Each structure stands twice: as C-alpha cells, then as structure tokens.
C-alpha cells in the first residue's frame, strides 16, 4: 500500500530525518546478480559487504499500470518477462514516489513534469551529485536530476543537467575516446551536450547563473586526487572512455571475470564516488548523492556473465568505499544509505554458480534493497507484502516516498521547470 503523504509528512516533521542521503543503484541487478558476484569475489572481505545492515528487504519495480504478482512470478516464467519497467520509469518512481510509463524521466503519465529528487534536495539547501559507470545522460542519473519526456534526448538532458543545481556530475561519454580508451580522430559530443557545451566545459566557462562554473576533470589521477583535501565547488568528471568505464572494453567479451586486463586509464566507480563525496561534504546543510553501477544492466542484456560479475564487484567496492568515506568523516550516523536496483535484467537463473541468462531484457523479478542510517527504519513497515521466496517487499514508489520525505518535500509537488522536447536529437543507443 502507498502511504506516501503520511510518510513524507512524518519525515518532514523531523522524525529521524537524515542530513545526507546516498542512493546506490546497481542497474539491472536482481538477487542472483548479487549472489553471482559473491561467489566470484576475488577479495574474501568483500563477501560481507551487506552483512550487518539493518534493512535487508526486497522491492518490486512495476511501471505505471503494472503490479507484482508473487504467485504468477514463481509459477509462470513468461509472466516474469512480460511488460517490465525500463530504467526511466523506475528511477522516476524511486526518486519522486510517482509511477510513470516507460521512457519518461520524472514526467508523470499525463506528461506533467515532476520535481526531481535532486531539485527537491537542492531546494532544501543540500548539495547534490550523480556518479555513474555509463554516460551521465543515461536514464538513471538523468531521472534523478531533471525532467524529460524522452529519455533518449541526450543533448537536451546533458544541457539540463549541466545547467541546473547539481554540484557533481560524473560519468562516461568522453567525446574524444572510444570504448577501449583510444583517442579518436573525430569527436562524438552526443553524450556531453554537444560541441559548444563541451568546449565551454573545457574552457571552464560553463555554469548556471548563481551556481558558479564547473571544474572539468578527465584523468584518473584527477579523480583520485579529488578524494582528499580542498575541492572545487562544482565538478564534472568525464573519464577518457566512450560508453562504459570497463564493460565495453575489448578482449574476450565472454571471458571469466577479471581475466581480461582492465583499462587502467579510467577511475574505478569507488574512486569517482570518493571524489564526489569530498566535493559534497563541504555543505553544512548536507547532500544527496546518486551512485550507479550502470553497466551491470548492459552486461546482462548481452548475456556476458563475466562482465556482469566484474561490474557487480566494482559496484560493491564503491558501496564499501562510500561507507568507509562516510565513517572517516563522522557522517555515517547522519546519512541514509540505500542500495538497490531499478529492475532485474536477464532473468538470471540457477543453479549456482553456473548462472544463465534466460532473456536479454528486463524482468519483473524482485530486486534487493539494503539500507542503513537515519530513516531506514521506515522501510520495514512499508514492506507489507510477502513473496514466498524473497520475503517481505515494498514497492519502488514507496522508496521514492521515503527519499522525497528526506528532502522535506510533499509528494506530488509539481515542477515549474521546463522539460525537454519530445523526439528531437533522440539517440539511437541502447534502451536500458
Ligand atoms: Zn536495461
């Protein structure tokens, strides 16, 4: 059941309201993705990533008009694969509390733009940021920050993200490098807002009025250095690689995890996350940070088990790094940390450890939700439905209500901001 308004008001009244929120999303990761990563974990300490977290639940992910049916789920594999959510509808539900149709970023089913979580947090005086292993214009980071009717309108989305209140934007999409990290002869500016926007970023002259200019970093050493000491107020980080940090690199795409040498010129997700944390932690009002392991989904679409496990491992390392970084700063006790997924991808099936992908698309499977910190006590009460295999579960719109509540806003608030055009400069890339 949805209890958005009551929950939001409760949190807004100050009941265990977190000062900071960190939302970590492993795009496409269901329960068996986590299990596969645990079984292939090269570092034994990594096996305990989520042990001891007080909230360990399941979450359903249907888009507007859909439902999760536990009985059908375990009786009929075809039901599991029918009409799943995409990442756009999922991030909208998870961060606004409002269900929408596939393809829309923080825009409701009637086409009305919603206040995004980043906008609500900024309105509450908090700093905000997004970090991802895929281009930052992709659905999950984009829907956290801006409203757009068309998730594929990358040029417009980049301009909205870089022209708004965000303080950190990090992701792949460098115009001058390919998936291997090799310098290209011809630039592709489609993931960074176009040539003029990129050139302004490089020149240090891009920034919204009143927000200050962006500092652009691209080299791995710059990301590593950002983790400590004084930081610029607003940072865009675009590593020298095209589509993903590592998942699209060459070599045998079906090799065992970690068998193909990594591209050492790009930062890890953990390094990017620690840099982002060091920028955002300056704000006395707190911060809200989204961190996405975006290519877990890409590897799952393509049935690449080894690459999927690598991406899950990088994601888990980022979670560990964030927890350690918060602890080091004395912020762990005032930060709500949520780890979950927008949907399962690939219909991963046992028996372990020889997992196989049954589809190349998203499914209706439940996804895990781990949480800790102030406000995380809300989740157990919301998980008032029970799956015979996964146990108690909540709905992704209920997660959105908790997060909106943490911003002190009321669910359903309408945005007065413009949304993007429908259709123009639509990308032809993958539709994760
Ligand atoms: Zn996908």
């Amino acid at each position: 059941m949805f209890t958005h308004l009551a929950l939001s008001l409760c949190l807004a009244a100050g009941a265990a309201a977190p000062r900071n929120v960190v939302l970590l999303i492993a795009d496409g990761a269901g329960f068996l993705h986590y299990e596969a990563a645990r079984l292939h974990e090269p570092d034994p300490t990594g096996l305990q990533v989520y042990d001891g977290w007080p909230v360990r639940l399941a979450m359903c992910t249907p888009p507007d008009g859909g439902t999760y049916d536990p009985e059908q789920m375990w009786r009929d594999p075809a039901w599991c694969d029918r009409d799943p959510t995409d990442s756009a509808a999922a991030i909208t539900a998870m961060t606004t509390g409002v269900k929408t149709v596939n393809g829309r970023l923080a825009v409701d089913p009637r086409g009305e733009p919603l206040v995004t979580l980043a906008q609500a947090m900024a309105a509450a005086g908090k700093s905000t940021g997004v970090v991802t292993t895929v281009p930052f214009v992709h659905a999950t980071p984009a829907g956290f920050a801006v409203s757009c009717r068309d998730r594929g309108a990358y040029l417009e989305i980049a301009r909205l993200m870089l022209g708004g209140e965000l303080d950190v934007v990090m992701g792949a999409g460098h115009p001058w490098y390919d998936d291997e990290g090799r310098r290209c002869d011809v630039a592709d500016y489609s993931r960074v807002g176009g040539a003029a926007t990129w050139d302004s970023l490089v020149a240090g002259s891009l920034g919204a009025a009143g927000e200050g200019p962006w500092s652009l970093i691209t080299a791995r050493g710059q990301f590593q250095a950002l983790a400590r000491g004084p930081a610029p107020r607003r940072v865009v980080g675009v590593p020298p690689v095209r589509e993903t940090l590592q998942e699209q690199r060459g070599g045998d795409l079906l090799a065992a995890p970690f068998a193909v040498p990594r591209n050492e010129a790009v930062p890890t997700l953990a390094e990017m996350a620690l840099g982002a944390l060091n920028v955002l932690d300056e704000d006395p009002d707190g911060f809200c940070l989204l961190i996405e392991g975006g290519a877990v989904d890409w590897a799952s679409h393509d049935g690449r088990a080894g690459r999927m496990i690598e991406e899950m491992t990088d994601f888990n390392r980022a979670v560990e790094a964030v927890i350690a970084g918060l602890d080091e700063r004395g912020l762990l006790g005032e930060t709500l940390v949520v780890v979950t997924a927008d949907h399962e991808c690939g219909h991963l099936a046992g028996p372990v450890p020889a997992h196989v992908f049954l589809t190349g698309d998203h499914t209706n499977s439940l996804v895990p939700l781990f949480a800790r910190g102030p406000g995380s006590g809300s989740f157990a009460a919301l998980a008032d439905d029970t799956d015979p295999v996964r146990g108690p579960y909540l709905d992704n719109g209920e997660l959105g209500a908790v997060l909106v509540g943490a911003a002190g806003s009321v669910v359903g608030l309408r945005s007065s901001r413009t949304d993007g055009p429908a259709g123009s400069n639509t990308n032809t890339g993958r539709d994760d």
Side-chain angles (χ1 to χ4, degrees), residues 57-104:
L57 294 166
M59 185 173 78
C60 66
T61 64
D64 181 57
T67 55
Y68 179 75
D69 183 336
E71 197 193 326
Q72 298 242 56
M73 167 69 204
W74 298 106
R75 195 184 58 203
D76 177 10
W79 182 87
C80 176
D81 300 345
R82 196 175 302 140
D83 302 325
T85 189
D86 75 343
S87 293
I91 191 64
T92 301
M94 286 192 288
T95 56
T96 71
V98 178
K99 293 281 192 176
T100 193
V101 293
N102 286 347
R104 290 190 176 163

Side-chain angles (χ1 to χ4, degrees), residues 246-256 260 303-308:
Q246 301 288 346
E247 198 271 334
Q248 301 275 311
R249 76 188 189 282
D252 179 359
L253 297 170
L254 300 177
V260 176
R304 300 172 179 170
R307 296 276 159 116
M308 179 277 284

Side-chain angles (χ1 to χ4, degrees), residues 27 87 297-298 301 343 345 361-362 431-432:
D27 198 307
S87 293
D297 181 72
W298 297 30
H301 277 290
H343 51 73
C345 182
D361 205 346
H362 302 171
D431 186 33
D432 64 329

Side-chain angles (χ1 to χ4, degrees), residues 68-204:
Y68 179 75
D69 183 336
E71 197 193 326
Q72 298 242 56
M73 167 69 204
W74 298 106
R75 195 184 58 203
D76 177 10
W79 182 87
C80 176
D81 300 345
R82 196 175 302 140
D83 302 325
T85 189
D86 75 343
S87 293
I91 191 64
T92 301
M94 286 192 288
T95 56
T96 71
V98 178
K99 293 281 192 176
T100 193
V101 293
N102 286 347
R104 290 190 176 163
L105 300 170
V107 171
D108 76 9
R110 294 177 303 165
E112 296 295 323
L114 301 157
V115 174
T116 68
L117 187 62
Q119 290 162 354
M121 289 288 183
K126 299 180 192 297
S127 294
T128 57
V130 294
V131 177
T132 178
T133 57
V134 299
F136 64 78
V137 290
H138 263 255
T140 303
F144 167 82
V146 301
S147 297
C148 191
R149 284 195 179 88
D150 176 9
R151 61 172 285 174
Y154 287 167
L155 290 174
E156 180 67 14
I157 289 167
R159 290 179 196 133
L160 288 169
M161 290 178 79
L162 297 172
E165 299 97 337
L166 287 170
D167 301 287
V168 173
V169 176
M170 292 182 183
H174 198 298
W176 285 103
Y177 290 85
D178 68 12
D179 289 333
E180 300 271 12
R182 290 177 301 225
R183 179 91 185 176
C184 302
D185 294 331
V186 179
D188 177 351
Y189 298 100
S190 62
R191 298 165 189 81
V192 291
T197 298
W198 179 255
D199 290 344
S200 303
L201 266 179
V202 172

